[in-house]
């Protein structure tokens, strides 16, 4: 099954997150059943990223947004692991610094866009400026409501510069989030992940869902689609994200460049060196 088509938020249509089951695994029954495809995806991601890097004419931007504990870090681990660190990078976006706040909201983002040959993962992104900013009234509506169009234009600019953009919303349920927070509280090795705001933000869950729905509906475009990934099952989340990345990178049709040297000449040198040895 082509998971990309299945989970893509269709451009121009409004999305209702309450109707998308975070427990969905589209027919896969268990992690065991998915293991073979997970392993295959890993191998394919290694090959595809190698080609992207070698070709160095296009790039890939992966945007991750989600409620806390939905698994952004888990996805990053899973997707980055098969890739050569020389060609990929993770960029996180926290609360803007005073310097960042003194500029337009895309200023801090644009400079981290991938260069030719590179994969960049955004752990949070410019979308915070229509999510947390909207939910907590950090800017008036007349400011943030204009940003959807600005984001679409910005992403169009990146796309026209040969950057493929894929955006994932990792969709967990409110109950699953509570379970994961409890694990963080109970496991000393995970205590460091808890922050003051984690439980407090739960009071805004519905407002966040509204903000996500609007964002995904307005900003899923042909050149930069949003994917809503059921993420209550970590193994399925990884399977879906890695499958969509494989599909996306395959469609980029990267080509290993022709050698810039005359191989016949070099073979002659190699033969001579072998004779000497
Ligand atoms: P973890 O998943 O490990 O908790 P995190 O990405 O949540 O990592 P935190 O330091 O907990 O990292 O949170 C970063 C915070 O910065 C988030 O609450 C996010 O909403 C906030 N943030 C990011 N961008 C903006 C922005 N443009 N305006 C206001 N707040 C922002
Ligand atoms: Mg956090």
């Amino acid at each position: 099954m082509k998971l990309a088509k299945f989970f893509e938020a269709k451009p121009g249509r409004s999305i209702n997150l309450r109707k998308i089951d975070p427990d969905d695994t589209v027919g896969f029954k268990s992690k065991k059943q998915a293991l073979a495809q997970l392993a295959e995806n890993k191998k394919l991601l290694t090959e595809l990223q190698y080609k992207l890097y070698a070709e160095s004419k296009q790039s890939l931007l992966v945007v991750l947004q989600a409620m806390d504990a939905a698994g952004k870090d888990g996805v990053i681990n899973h997707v980055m692991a098969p890739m050569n660190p020389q060609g990929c990078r993770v960029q996180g976006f926290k609360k803007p610094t005073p310097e960042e706040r003194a500029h337009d909201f895309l200023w801090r983002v644009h400079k981290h866009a991938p260069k030719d040959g590179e994969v960049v993962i955004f752990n949070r992104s410019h979308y915070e400026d229509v999510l947390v900013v909207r939910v907590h009234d950090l800017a008036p509506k007349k400011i943030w409501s204009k940003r959807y169009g600005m984001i679409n234009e910005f992403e169009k600019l990146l796309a026209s510069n040969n950057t493929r953009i894929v955006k994932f919303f990792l969709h967990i349920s409110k109950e699953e989030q509570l379970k994961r927070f409890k694990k963080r509280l109970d496991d000393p090795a995970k205590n460091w992940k808890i922050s003051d705001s984690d439980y407090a933000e739960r009071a805004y869950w519905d407002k966040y869902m509204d903000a996500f729905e609007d964002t995904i509906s307005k900003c899923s475009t042909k050149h930069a689609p949003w994917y809503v990934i059921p993420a209550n099952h970590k193994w399925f989340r990884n399977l879906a994200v890695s499958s969509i990345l494989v599909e996306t990178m395959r469609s980029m049709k990267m080509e290993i460049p022709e050698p810039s040297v005359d191989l016949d000449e070099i073979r002659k040198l190699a033969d001579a060196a072998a004779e000497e040895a």
Side-chain angles (χ1 to χ4, degrees):
M1 180 199 292
K2 294 267 185 220
L3 291 177
K5 272 279 153 269
F6 198 80
F7 290 120
E8 183 187 353
K10 303 285 173 292
R13 276 205 228 149
S14 55
I15 194 149
N16 183 347
L17 289 174
R18 280 108 182 147
K19 285 198 177 149
I20 300 178
D21 181 6
D23 270 312
D24 195 8
T25 57
V26 295
F28 285 90
K29 293 208 169 50
S30 65
K31 182 173 179 177
K32 214 170 139 210
Q33 196 196 351
L35 278 179
Q37 196 179 330
L38 277 166
E40 175 69 7
N41 285 353
K42 247 184 170 168
K43 211 177 99 215
L44 291 168
L45 282 176
T46 304
E47 290 169 15
L48 287 161
Q49 188 239 346
Y50 177 81
K51 272 190 165 178
L52 183 80
Y53 185 74
E55 181 198 58
S56 221
K57 286 186 177 159
Q58 313 175 62
S59 60
L60 177 69
L61 174 61
V62 180
V63 171
L64 292 179
Q65 287 287 165
M67 298 299 282
D68 268 310
K72 292 193 277 38
D73 291 352
V75 164
I76 290 168
N77 264 328
H78 192 81
V79 167
M80 298 291 275
M83 298 193 181
N84 183 338
Q86 276 211 103
C88 54
R89 188 157 58 80
V90 179
Q91 181 61 46
F93 293 93
K94 306 266 184 194
K95 285 193 185 94
T97 62
E99 168 82 355
E100 289 169 346
R101 219 173 290 125
H103 290 84
D104 71 86
F105 79 106
L106 292 170
W107 178 77
R108 68 172 183 160
V109 180
H110 200 167
K111 60 184 169 196
H112 294 296
K115 63 182 176 190
D116 290 344
E118 203 177 26
V119 176
V120 172
I121 303 185
F122 280 179
N123 182 355
R124 302 185 187 271
S125 64
H126 42 302
Y127 283 98
E128 291 292 325
D129 289 279
V130 286
L131 293 165
V132 66
V133 168
R134 164 174 163 166
V135 168
H136 287 289
D137 292 319
L138 302 180
K141 182 171 183 180
K142 81 174 196 306
I143 298 284
W144 58 253
S145 60
K146 289 193 191 121
R147 289 181 175 163
Y148 301 104
M150 291 171 180
I151 288 174
N152 288 342
E153 286 303 317
F154 168 61
E155 292 178 353
K156 213 184 268 178
L157 168 71
L158 300 185
S160 69
N161 197 42
N162 293 331
T163 298
R164 278 295 278 265
I165 306 167
V166 282
K167 303 174 297 199
F168 294 104
F169 169 60
L170 309 177
H171 183 37
I172 55 164
S173 62
K174 207 174 168 187
E175 299 72 37
E176 178 64 22
Q177 187 195 50
L178 199 59
K179 274 193 224 161
R180 293 186 186 182
F181 282 173
K182 183 156 185 334
K183 275 196 190 141
R184 290 180 178 185
L185 266 181
D186 294 346
D187 179 353
K190 290 189 175 165
N191 284 173
W192 68 274
K193 280 199 159 200
I194 303 167
S195 73
D196 301 343
S197 64
D198 283 352
Y199 284 91
E201 283 300 281
R202 285 173 61 77
Y204 298 92
W205 186 277
D206 289 341
K207 279 187 134 192
Y208 269 109
M209 290 305 115
D210 291 343
F212 270 113
E213 281 179 352
D214 251 9
T215 297
I216 294 169
S217 304
K218 290 187 165 81
C219 299
S220 195
T221 56
K222 206 160 165 274
H223 57 273
W226 269 105
Y227 297 97
V228 178
I229 306 295
N232 273 5
H233 299 282
K234 294 177 182 174
W235 59 268
F236 182 75
R237 173 201 75 201
N238 290 343
L239 179 73
V241 171
S242 58
S243 298
I244 291 169
L245 288 179
V246 166
E247 283 177 47
T248 303
M249 291 180 87
R250 271 189 172 150
S251 74
M252 289 165 76
K253 304 210 182 309
M254 284 87 68
E255 284 176 7
I256 303 272
E258 291 297 321
S260 56
V261 291
D262 183 342
L263 288 185
D264 286 337
E265 284 302 315
I266 292 187
R267 281 194 189 102
K268 276 184 213 156
L269 292 174
D271 289 345
E275 252 170 51
E276 248 175 55

